[in-house]
Amino acid sequence: AVSVTAVVAGLSYIAYFDYKRRNDRQFRRKLKRDRKRVEKTAEKISREPTLDDINEQALELLKSITNAKQPESPEEKEQYFMAQVSKGESLCGAGPAAYAEAACHFFQALKVYPNPVELVMIYQKTTPDLVFKLVMAMMAQEVRQKQARYYDVFPTEDKHVRIKDKNKLGEGKAKDKKPAKDADTKGDVVTPNRGLFATKDVAADEIVYEEDSVVSTLLPCAQNGKYCYHCMRAIPAAEAEAEAEDTAEAKSEAAEEETEEKKEPASDGIKCDKCAEAVYCSEECRQDAYDAYHQFLCPNSSAATANDFAEQAKKSHELAPILIAKFFGILVDREKKKELARALGVSDKNTSEADEYTTWEHLESMRYLELIPSATDAAMLHKLGELMSDSVPGLNEFVTGDRYTMLKG
């Protein structure tokens, strides 16, 4: 009896459905919409998402966590990191439908991890491919957003100058104004034509703007003990000695003795403990240089890779390899010091938006020559990896041939 009732009920529903399909226009439209929705969903699941799909989804995910509060103390960061990774792993186990949310949690864990490059390498090996691609796309989108507002933050207000796009000056006032000659007017793309503008009146002989270099090195001809290997300033004793030699023939013996007496208090420079190439004007410069880069580059260090790198750099007849090696040493040293300050609770509470930018992000905002990688570049990149990979995990994966030539340019 129960079976007969079930069959009758089923037939009745089929008859009702067929009647509605034939006679109810709204019902037919609803069926059509539902079918299209199912087909669209099935197509999304079946096909591999394109790069545009991933970037679009990454941007939406980034917007969803814009106002998320970040932990401050080391203990809070550790707990937050573990919680985010745990949630991400659980969601990965739930299948592709939860991958986007999983990527969001892994990205938030990445933001508080002390060594992001190392964690990215772990993600690449342990998470599903789509999750990893979403995390990387979120990182790229965040970088683009920061780059877009870079010149709103730098130079900082205390410098009294701003960098503005000359193409945009006077927009709205002169609609028929022609773009700059070097602007690319094809389509909607216009190459920025930036200039430096003062935000206050500048007096005669007043310095308008100055900043420290990101990285620098002495020319080989200047590595003669007369100039500091770190700050590039003339070492007082060496400078005084050079002046004395230049004027020795024109001076009497008494004047020469006076010169010798005057230069006695001056320092002879502080040499590296292991090599004769690096001479510094002070102990502070020697220590700063060692912490940042000379520990890697000293040719007489215990690591054979340092001597190999120095020899290869000399053969290339270029300063670029030395500058690039110094840059990565300085980059890692600065980030380590920032992290140490946070861990000790001595970080500056008066931090501004400018403090969010890393040394690498400053460099990416600069203009550079577009160079074609050469065989020498490939050889130096290989030596750079051997030199610093132990101290900078993930360097080999991060510094590709394109990034190397970008830094060189």
Side-chain angles (χ1 to χ4, degrees):
V2 174
S3 299
V4 172
T5 304
V7 171
V8 171
L11 290 172
S12 299
Y13 178 76
I14 291 171
Y16 171 76
F17 182 86
D18 186 60
Y19 172 80
K20 292 284 286 182
R21 183 176 62 81
R22 292 174 181 275
N23 299 286
D24 191 333
R25 185 179 297 175
Q26 294 296 330
F27 187 72
R28 286 200 302 273
R29 285 178 179 173
K30 183 179 181 300
L31 286 176
K32 193 174 182 180
R33 285 197 301 269
D34 290 345
R35 185 168 60 252
K36 284 185 177 180
R37 191 181 299 114
V38 170
E39 288 173 354
K40 195 172 182 179
T41 304
E43 185 185 355
K44 273 189 175 180
I45 294 172
S46 63
R47 71 176 174 85
E48 185 74 19
T50 65
L51 182 60
D52 288 341
D53 293 334
I54 291 172
N55 285 333
E56 187 178 341
Q57 191 171 17
L59 189 58
E60 291 301 318
L61 291 173
L62 204 58
K63 288 178 182 177
S64 69
I65 59 170
T66 300
N67 298 320
K69 188 179 178 182
Q70 295 292 324
E72 295 181 2
S73 70
E75 295 79 12
E76 288 175 342
K77 285 183 178 181
E78 185 177 356
Q79 292 174 4
Y80 182 83
F81 171 79
M82 296 302 295
Q84 295 299 323
V85 169
S86 178
K87 287 177 183 176
E89 289 174 344
S90 298
L91 288 164
C92 280
Y99 281 177
E101 191 177 350
C104 210
H105 288 293
F106 283 131
F107 175 76
Q108 289 176 290
L110 185 67
K111 288 179 71 68
V112 297
Y113 193 71
N115 191 337
V117 176
E118 181 183 21
L119 187 57
V120 166
M121 298 300 108
I122 295 172
Y123 283 167
Q124 189 175 22
K125 296 175 183 177
T126 59
T127 61
D129 186 56
L130 180 57
V131 173
F132 179 72
K133 286 179 178 177
L134 281 169
V135 172
M136 296 305 293
M138 290 177 74
M139 290 175 65
Q141 292 287 4
E142 186 179 50
V143 169
R144 289 190 192 102
Q145 289 178 358
K146 289 180 75 174
Q147 285 177 334
R149 65 176 191 273
Y150 181 84
Y151 291 112
D152 295 332
V153 179
F154 292 99
T156 51
E157 290 185 6
D158 60 302
K159 300 293 185 183
H160 303 294
V161 291
R162 302 304 299 168
I163 294 177
K164 299 178 183 179
D165 185 354
K166 289 186 277 188
N167 295 329
K168 296 181 180 179
L169 293 179
E171 276 188 354
K173 294 181 180 180
K175 294 182 180 179
D176 58 342
K177 184 179 178 181
K178 294 182 180 179
K181 289 182 181 179
D182 60 343
D184 179 8
T185 56
K186 294 179 181 179
D188 296 324
V189 178
V190 178
T191 303
N193 185 17
R194 296 189 179 98
L196 191 68
F197 294 81
T199 59
K200 68 167 190 173
D201 293 337
V202 181
D205 297 326
E206 180 183 354
I207 295 173
V208 177
Y209 177 66
E210 62 181 357
E211 64 180 8
D212 296 329
S213 61
V214 176
V215 63
S216 56
T217 194
L218 289 170
L219 292 169
C221 62
Q223 293 182 18
N224 50 18
K226 297 179 181 179
Y227 302 95
C228 178
Y229 189 70
H230 184 62
C231 71
M232 315 293 150
R233 293 188 179 94
I235 296 173
E239 186 179 30
E241 186 178 348
E243 289 176 358
E245 289 175 357
D246 291 339
T247 58
E249 295 179 1
K251 290 184 177 182
S252 63
E253 290 183 4
E256 288 178 349
E257 288 176 5
E258 186 179 349
T259 302
E260 290 295 327
E261 289 175 2
K262 284 183 179 179
K263 73 175 183 179
E264 278 178 7
S267 170
D268 291 328
I270 300 171
K271 295 181 179 180
C272 168
D273 297 334
K274 298 177 180 177
C275 74
E277 292 185 13
V279 182
Y280 305 95
C281 65
S282 66
E283 177 60 28
E284 183 182 2
C285 273
R286 189 198 69 79
Q287 190 61 52
D288 287 346
Y290 183 83
D291 291 344
Y293 54 82
H294 198 60
Q295 58 176 306
F296 309 111
L297 293 173
C298 181
N300 290 348
S301 67
S302 56
T305 52
N307 189 54
D308 290 345
F309 182 85
E311 289 298 321
Q312 189 73 31
K314 285 179 182 177
K315 289 178 183 178
S316 72
H317 301 290
E318 293 180 345
L319 290 175
I322 302 294
L323 287 166
I324 292 171
K326 278 189 173 186
F327 169 74
F328 279 108
I330 291 169
L331 175 67
V332 172
D333 182 56
R334 287 181 181 176
E335 295 308 310
K336 280 184 177 178
K337 285 178 178 176
K338 280 184 185 178
E339 191 59 36
L340 179 62
R342 294 190 196 102
L344 296 174
V346 295
S347 55
D348 188 1
K349 294 181 180 179
N350 299 318
T351 55
S352 65
E353 193 176 4
D355 299 310
E356 296 177 11
Y357 289 83
T358 64
T359 306
W360 177 262
E361 287 166 335
H362 284 299
L363 202 71
E364 282 191 323
S365 297
M366 298 179 184
R367 297 187 68 173
Y368 56 89
L369 296 174
E370 294 184 3
L371 305 177
I372 298 173
S374 65
T376 303
D377 292 337
M380 288 311 310
L381 178 56
H382 177 69
K383 291 294 181 184
L384 178 67
E386 290 181 343
L387 178 72
M388 304 185 73
S389 58
D390 290 341
S391 301
V392 189
L395 181 70
N396 287 333
E397 291 81 3
F398 180 74
V399 187
T400 60
D402 289 339
R403 282 201 173 103
Y404 183 88
T405 51
M406 184 273 280
L407 286 168
K408 185 179 175 181

